[in-house]
Amino acid sequence: MRRLQHIVYSSSMEQSVLVRHPEFWFSDGSLVLRAGSTLFRIHVSQLCRKSVFFRDMFSLPQPLPADQEKEMIDDCPVLDLHDSPQDVAYLVKVIYDGPSFANNDRNDFVAVSGMLRLANKYLVEESIRSKVLEHIRVVWPSTLHEWDAREDIARMYETETGSMRGHRFPNPIAVINLAREIGAEELLAAAFYDLSRYSYAQILEPSPGDPLHPDSSPTTTSLAHTLSPGDMQRLALGKETAQHAINTLIQNMEYASPDTSHHRLMHQRTRSATNSRHSRSASATLAAGPCITPAACRKDLCELVELAKQHYLMDRERGCADPLYVAEELGQLKSAEFSDCGACARDLETWAARERERLWKAIPDWFRLR
């Protein structure tokens, strides 16, 4: 029987002293997992309860060559896992305690991604995997409403810390690679869109301190900051399409322009709606009134279009690579910058909200994800 404090693991390349994991070494455990130079003494019964892979493994006899003695540590058989000790620790913690989460920041992602990788590899029960995915989908969502909530958190982080908002959440490249590895395609659209908002220089040659720089992102895998050739192509195509979407969005802004007959019709519909069960919201709409200065409002709108072209297309100010942000900003310009026509401001805001929904639904096609 080997005693742990005297064990030396030898290979052709190196020697390293094996160490017990400080938390997951149970004195009554029946199996030792070895990941690198770290040992975990756990219970086979607990492992088999949560993992189909290990359940099948231990239900079948494991033949050994006649001249090879089964390796034992403290009277327990040893099973080598070719995973990082950190990831194995996350797996064991999930099996014994269930998943636990923090606030979806970068350190939390290291734990969550480790859980997901090994839960997927060792066929841990689906309920655990679903809980972990539900947590990570909070910041890599599939709906525009959830995306806006995520962006509010990032803006608040930027205001409170003075750091770039990109530091608040994990590196989107790592999220894309994780999604590919575990087959979680529902994470891809949000991750690709987030990544597309960075310049190619920031993606391919990030400077120290940038959100995409490897030193800014704790990780357990060296490939977390490199896209596959196929995904790099998808990113390039998506970035180009997103830029075209901004151009089209600004050009189409004129269709939110005031039209006398349109406002008169909306006014009539609103008046009749005041007698319906939705009278409260209808009355609020009526309070804004119809447009009574269409010529002035059209002039204002033309100025808005030119301002948007200059800001986002020529000067390429903040948000110039973010169609959802641009649409949101355009929807707020009328009431913030120009005339006090409530009808036209409301129309512009409604148009922008509709465009944002359309853009969001198109994102998977931009990055060839369907």
Side-chain angles (χ1 to χ4, degrees):
M1 177 175 61
R2 302 187 184 190
R3 290 299 176 187
L4 181 61
Q5 58 268 33
H6 299 302
I7 296 174
V8 176
Y9 174 63
S10 300
S11 70
S12 59
M13 298 296 294
E14 62 179 0
Q15 284 192 335
S16 59
V17 177
L18 297 176
V19 295
R20 298 175 177 178
H21 190 274
E23 182 178 0
F24 299 116
W25 181 270
F26 301 107
S27 59
D28 60 345
S30 55
L31 174 70
V32 172
L33 301 177
R34 178 166 57 197
S37 60
T38 303
L39 303 177
F40 304 79
R41 186 173 179 177
I42 62 170
H43 305 86
V44 171
S45 58
Q46 188 72 1
L47 200 61
C48 293
R49 282 185 65 240
K50 301 294 185 180
S51 165
V52 174
F53 176 90
F54 290 113
R55 190 182 310 146
D56 290 346
M57 170 184 285
F58 289 106
S59 67
L60 299 172
Q62 302 296 313
L64 288 172
D67 60 346
Q68 181 175 337
E69 180 184 357
K70 191 172 185 179
E71 186 176 5
M72 305 287 287
I73 294 178
D74 282 5
D75 293 327
C76 296
V78 177
L79 178 62
D80 282 311
L81 299 182
H82 301 287
D83 307 292
S84 74
Q86 190 174 16
D87 282 356
V88 173
Y90 295 137
L91 173 68
V92 174
K93 184 172 183 62
V94 163
I95 287 174
Y96 276 87
D97 303 331
S100 60
F101 312 113
N103 62 352
N104 261 314
D105 63 8
R106 296 190 165 206
N107 289 319
D108 181 56
F109 179 74
V110 174
V112 169
S113 61
M115 293 178 201
L116 282 173
R117 276 195 300 271
L118 296 200
N120 186 70
K121 179 177 180 179
Y122 295 116
L123 304 177
V124 173
E125 63 183 37
E126 184 61 28
S127 63
I128 291 178
R129 185 176 184 273
S130 297
K131 287 179 182 178
V132 181
L133 275 175
E134 182 180 354
H135 169 70
I136 201 173
R137 278 197 297 263
V138 170
V139 293
W140 307 102
S142 57
T143 70
L144 179 58
H145 175 74
E146 292 170 324
W147 176 263
D148 287 341
R150 170 203 198 274
E151 292 297 276
D152 287 342
I153 294 173
R155 280 191 286 266
M156 187 181 303
Y157 170 84
E158 184 178 49
T159 300
E160 293 177 349
T161 66
S163 298
M164 297 174 65
R165 66 179 63 183
H167 286 289
R168 174 59 179 83
F169 297 119
N171 185 329
I173 296 176
V175 177
I176 291 170
N177 290 336
L178 174 67
R180 294 298 191 194
E181 183 177 348
I182 67 174
E185 295 183 355
E186 65 269 34
L187 305 177
L188 289 173
F192 267 105
Y193 183 79
D194 185 37
L195 183 59
S196 73
R197 300 186 295 179
Y198 293 93
S199 69
Y200 281 116
Q202 291 174 309
I203 295 169
L204 299 175
E205 296 182 344
S207 301
D210 285 352
L212 301 184
H213 194 275
D215 292 344
S216 300
S217 302
T219 180
T220 59
T221 170
S222 60
L223 299 178
H225 308 290
T226 305
L227 285 179
S228 70
D231 280 338
M232 193 66 215
Q233 181 180 17
R234 291 181 182 90
L235 175 66
L237 293 170
K239 277 180 65 65
E240 183 177 57
T241 307
Q243 190 59 61
H244 287 322
I246 293 176
N247 296 345
T248 303
L249 183 71
I250 294 174
Q251 294 292 340
N252 289 343
M253 193 176 171
E254 63 180 291
Y255 295 111
S257 64
D259 179 88
T260 306
S261 61
H262 166 70
H263 288 309
R264 186 180 300 116
L265 178 61
M266 290 297 294
H267 182 55
Q268 292 169 352
R269 288 177 179 173
T270 304
R271 178 177 296 169
S272 63
T274 57
N275 297 321
S276 72
R277 60 181 178 175
H278 303 297
S279 59
R280 180 177 301 175
S281 60
S283 296
T285 304
L286 180 61
C291 175
I292 58 174
T293 57
C297 286
R298 173 164 288 280
K299 179 182 177 183
D300 284 351
L301 192 64
C302 290
E303 292 177 359
L304 280 175
V305 171
E306 293 305 313
L307 177 67
K309 288 179 180 178
Q310 181 66 37
H311 189 75
Y312 296 112
L313 303 184
M314 303 299 294
D315 296 340
R316 296 189 63 78
E317 295 291 341
R318 181 171 186 170
C320 67
D322 188 345
L324 293 173
Y325 174 82
V326 172
E328 183 179 25
E329 289 287 294
L330 296 182
Q332 298 171 357
L333 283 177
K334 178 71 178 175
S335 58
E337 303 290 344
F338 287 83
S339 71
D340 296 327
C341 177
C344 290
R346 185 176 64 251
D347 272 3
L348 186 60
E349 186 176 356
T350 301
W351 168 83
R354 185 172 61 249
E355 288 298 297
R356 294 185 81 241
E357 288 288 350
R358 181 186 63 80
L359 292 169
W360 177 261
K361 292 176 182 177
I363 288 173
D365 294 323
W366 296 354
F367 298 97
R368 312 307 194 262
L369 299 176
R370 280 198 249 263

